[in-house]
Amino acid sequence: MQLNRVIKRVILATVILLVADACRTNPFTGQKTLNFYPNSQIFPTAFAQYDEFLKEHKVVKGTADAKMITKVGQRISAAAERWFNANGYPGYLKDYRWEYNLVDDKTVNAWCMPGGKIVFYTGILPICQDEAGIAVVMGHEVAHALANHGSQRMSASTLQQLGAVAGNIAIEDPQTREIFNQAYGIGTEVGGMLPFSRSHETEADRIGLQLMAIAGYDPDVAAELWKRMKAQGGSAPPEFLSTHPSNDTRIANLTQWAPLAKEEARKFGVTTFQK
């Protein structure tokens, strides 16, 4: 019992120190975010994993589609640079190493690792349809990297694991411990981790709209892209059990936010938008 109390106190003290040291400001929202992991720790690992991924997959080089991915990525990242400089964050992107690659894969997906390493799969290109459609997806993925969503998810997972350890130490009865583990696992996933992930996706949608508009792409295209995504069909879990907002939620949000993104772009002298 005495040992358990000591361990619980150590875990509690560790959590308090982590949380106290982990509050960073999201430049886009001005809100504090939970983030234990600095870019200096995350980026090198992400860059190495990205290079390893490219070695193991078929990267498309030199085609019109591959060049378009690079072109759009450069325009979006340049828009991000303009936004940060204009909003009092010069040098925010100094450690980012932007890279944009198209991978031959039928999967309808794209992703961005911390630090700006981006992959588009060829399977998403028919949904994008054109350059502006690619900008919708590119803006969303770049936004994840800019808002440090990857390290925030890692931080949340660390807290979740510490809570599980503390509970298992505190509860001595095996049957009660088993009940706790089941309830804790479901409760923290449905009530914590999944909403956390959905909030990141929603935030990336909104930031991405602003970036694509500043880059000169029409943000009205975003809702149309998600209508095409919805038309692909396929089963999806209820929104509260998903890591992503539903297609209908995203379409409604993007439709609402598109005029605001255009207003933001006009602050940078952008008044016409490529469809």
Side-chain angles (χ1 to χ4, degrees):
M1 286 292 293
Q2 182 65 30
L3 178 61
N4 281 349
R5 282 197 294 270
V6 171
I7 294 174
K8 281 190 289 183
R9 288 172 181 171
V10 170
I11 291 175
L12 179 60
T14 301
V15 170
I16 292 172
L17 287 172
L18 283 172
V19 173
D21 189 50
C23 291
R24 302 181 189 178
T25 301
N26 182 325
F28 295 100
T29 65
Q31 297 177 344
K32 297 294 184 180
T33 60
L34 183 71
N35 189 348
F36 304 152
Y37 303 100
N39 290 345
S40 59
Q41 180 179 347
I42 295 294
F43 284 9
T45 301
F47 296 164
Q49 291 176 344
Y50 185 80
D51 290 342
E52 192 63 30
F53 174 89
L54 295 182
K55 291 177 184 176
E56 297 172 355
H57 293 78
K58 185 178 180 181
V59 180
V60 181
K61 296 287 188 182
T63 67
D65 286 337
K67 292 177 181 177
M68 189 180 297
I69 295 297
T70 299
K71 174 186 175 182
V72 174
Q74 290 173 341
R75 285 179 63 171
I76 296 291
S77 58
E81 185 90 40
R82 293 181 67 191
W83 189 94
F84 280 113
N85 289 341
N87 284 276
Y89 293 93
Y92 186 91
L93 301 176
K94 65 182 178 62
D95 295 324
Y96 282 69
R97 299 292 180 267
W98 298 107
E99 190 172 348
Y100 322 93
N101 279 290
L102 179 64
V103 169
D104 188 8
D105 190 302
K106 294 180 181 179
T107 305
V108 181
N109 199 15
W111 46 263
C112 181
M113 299 191 85
K117 301 295 187 177
I118 295 166
V119 160
F120 268 63
Y121 293 125
T122 53
I124 201 171
L125 296 183
I127 307 295
C128 294
Q129 289 189 346
D130 52 28
E131 187 173 332
I134 290 173
V136 175
V137 179
M138 185 71 73
H140 175 92
E141 298 304 334
V142 166
H144 276 309
L146 298 178
N148 296 313
H149 287 161
S151 52
Q152 287 181 45
R153 286 193 293 271
M154 289 175 60
S155 300
S157 180
T158 298
L159 281 183
Q160 184 186 39
Q161 292 167 17
L162 285 173
V165 171
N168 277 270
I169 291 172
I171 300 170
E172 296 183 355
D173 178 61
Q175 186 174 1
T176 304
R177 189 184 299 128
E178 182 178 353
I179 294 171
F180 164 80
N181 284 331
Q182 292 176 352
Y184 181 84
I186 294 172
T188 56
E189 192 67 18
V190 176
M193 299 300 286
L194 291 178
F196 194 56
S197 178
R198 289 194 297 272
S199 72
H200 283 173
E201 295 301 323
T202 299
E203 185 174 76
D205 279 347
R206 188 162 192 167
I207 295 170
L209 274 188
Q210 294 183 21
L211 295 178
M212 70 177 292
I214 294 170
Y217 296 106
D218 189 348
D220 289 330
V221 171
E224 297 305 314
L225 181 145
W226 278 101
K227 290 176 184 178
R228 295 194 294 272
M229 191 73 77
K230 179 182 177 181
Q232 296 296 299
S235 59
E239 187 171 77
F240 78 97
L241 292 177
S242 176
T243 57
H244 289 59
S246 69
N247 289 330
D248 287 337
T249 295
R250 298 183 95 153
I251 291 167
N253 286 340
L254 292 167
T255 301
Q256 177 185 349
W257 295 334
L260 301 178
K262 290 181 181 179
E263 288 181 17
E264 183 70 15
R266 291 187 183 101
K267 297 177 184 177
F268 295 85
V270 181
T271 56
T272 58
F273 303 93
Q274 178 179 339
K275 291 184 177 292

